[in-house]
């Protein structure tokens, strides 16, 4: 293994700016299935029943939505422990009559897409077994086939919210430049490329995962960056091994507090 590559990586929590906390809590608790761990003033902490923190909400009634052609968060992705949980979630969403914006079979995973009340993109997905991820050519598939909904629902049970073992699986961003993204995420942070499509798409990961971060230029190369304080992603926290953290410190990619901002305005906080 190249010691300059990330040897371990795990998302911890995602921080979002929303416009109305009560409305968002209703969605994130009753529609999605998070457990509210703390709610005070204009902030709330959400996660799973074992008190694992996954999401932090900050409400600002004056925050505005990013323009549709801006760079920024495409979606954050909630990884559920198994296919049965995904099926139960899909059945629940149907019972709530909450609109979904997509449902795809990516080969390595099955995914359901929706938006929160502020239009923030969310993916809820379950991974297939790693033995099924790669095709005959040994490469990860570049696929977004329709999800076989009826087949999935056959394993559905009563939805009781996101269970223990649910994590943040990946984040996907609109960016203004794939070469800039590669230079930062691959050359500096040490992620390995897993899927590439010219100047349009770059997926990167650690530990052989299909992707911890997706990057695309579907909003156009040179897309404007969102301004601070807009609705959407505030920052994101991730855990890495101590030797990875020390390397990033030595090469001055991150500050002494573990923080770094990517070329597109995304704020990361790394810890070991």
């Amino acid at each position: 293994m190249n010691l300059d590559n990330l040897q371990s990586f795990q998302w911890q929590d995602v921080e979002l700016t929303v416009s109305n906390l009560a409305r968002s809590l209703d969605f994130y608790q009753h529609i999605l299935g998070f457990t509210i761990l703390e709610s005070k003033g204009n902030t709330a902490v959400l996660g799973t029943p074992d008190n694992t923190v996954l999401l932090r909400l900050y409400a600002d009634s004056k925050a505005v939505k990013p323009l549709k052609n801006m760079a920024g968060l495409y979606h954050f992705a909630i990884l559920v422990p198994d296919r049965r949980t995904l099926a139960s979630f899909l059945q629940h969403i149907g019972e709530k009559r909450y609109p979904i914006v997509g449902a795809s079979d990516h080969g390595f995973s099955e995914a359901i897409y929706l938006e929160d009340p502020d239009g923030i993109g969310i993916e809820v997905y379950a991974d297939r077994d790693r033995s099924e991820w790669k095709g005959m050519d040994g490469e990860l598939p570049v696929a977004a086939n329709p999800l076989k909904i009826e087949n999935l629902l056959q394993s559905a049970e009563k939805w009781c919210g996101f269970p223990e073992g649910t994590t943040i699986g990946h984040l996907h961003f609109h960016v203004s430049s794939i070469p800039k993204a590669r230079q930062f995420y691959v050359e500096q942070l040490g992620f390995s490329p897993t899927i590439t499509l010219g100047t349009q798409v770059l997926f990167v990961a650690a530990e052989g995962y299909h992707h911890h971060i997706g990057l695309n230029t579907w909003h156009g190369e040179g897309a404007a960056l969102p301004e601070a304080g807009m609705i959407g992603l505030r920052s994101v926290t991730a855990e890495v091994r101590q030797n990875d953290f020390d390397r990033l410190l030595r090469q001055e990619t991150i500050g002494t507090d573990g923080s770094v901002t990517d070329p597109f305005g995304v704020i990361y906080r790394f810890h070991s």
Side-chain angles (χ1 to χ4, degrees), residues 15-252:
E15 297 187 356
L16 300 174
T17 295
V18 299
S19 62
N20 183 302
L21 188 61
R23 182 179 68 170
S24 291
L25 285 179
D26 182 64
F27 168 80
Y28 280 101
Q29 180 182 23
H30 297 119
I31 300 297
L32 272 195
F34 281 105
T35 299
I36 297 177
L37 304 178
E38 181 182 328
S39 181
K40 183 179 180 180
N42 289 325
T43 65
V45 180
L46 301 93
T48 52
D50 60 343
N51 292 317
T52 298
V53 175
L54 298 178
L55 198 64
R56 299 178 188 272
L57 303 181
Y58 297 81
D60 181 354
S61 61
K62 297 180 180 179
V64 298
K65 290 184 179 182
L67 299 177
K68 290 187 179 296
N69 61 349
M70 278 184 167
L73 183 67
Y74 179 30
H75 59 248
F76 70 93
I78 302 160
L79 174 59
V80 296
D82 50 45
R83 193 171 191 258
R84 178 175 287 107
T85 304
L86 185 68
S88 304
F89 173 76
L90 178 58
Q91 178 175 272
H92 161 74
I93 288 294
E95 292 171 349
K96 289 287 188 179
R97 298 186 180 275
Y98 195 87
I100 63 172
V101 297
S104 298
D105 184 339
H106 295 295
F108 46 73
S109 69
E110 294 174 286
I112 299 161
Y113 298 89
L114 61 165
E115 294 179 345
D116 84 348
D118 285 300
I120 297 171
I122 301 166
E123 174 183 345
V124 180
Y125 75 108
D127 280 334
R128 285 198 167 91
D129 187 90
R130 286 196 178 216
S131 64
E132 302 178 49
W133 286 5
K134 296 184 177 181
M136 295 295 291
D137 59 359
E139 300 293 326
L140 286 171
V142 182
N145 297 315
L147 184 66
K148 296 179 180 177
I149 289 176
E150 291 185 5
N151 177 272
L152 178 61
L153 288 174
Q154 289 177 10
S155 58
E157 298 177 346
K158 179 177 173 56
W159 179 246
C160 297
F162 289 127
E164 295 180 16
T166 299
T167 62
I168 300 297
H170 66 265
L171 281 82
H172 195 156
F173 298 101
H174 295 290
V175 298
S176 58
S177 166
I178 291 299
K180 283 185 179 179
R182 177 181 288 272
Q183 198 281 329
F184 178 78
Y185 286 98
V186 177
E187 303 302 327
Q188 290 184 245
L189 288 184
F191 283 103
S192 299
T194 57
I195 294 177
T196 58
L197 286 174
T199 60
Q200 292 189 48
V201 173
L202 171 65
F203 281 12
V204 300
E207 301 180 278
Y209 196 53
H210 50 73
H211 70 297
H212 285 112
I213 299 174
L215 306 144
N216 73 71
T217 55
W218 297 335
H219 280 182
E221 294 188 38
L225 306 187
E227 299 174 7
M230 284 184 162
I231 287 171
L233 187 69
R234 292 169 62 96
S235 68
V236 61
T237 303
E239 182 178 3
V240 297
R241 286 184 184 172
Q242 186 65 52
N243 57 343
D244 289 322
F245 189 89
D246 292 343
R247 172 182 62 82
L248 295 173
L249 271 179
R250 284 196 308 272
Q251 66 191 34
E252 298 183 344

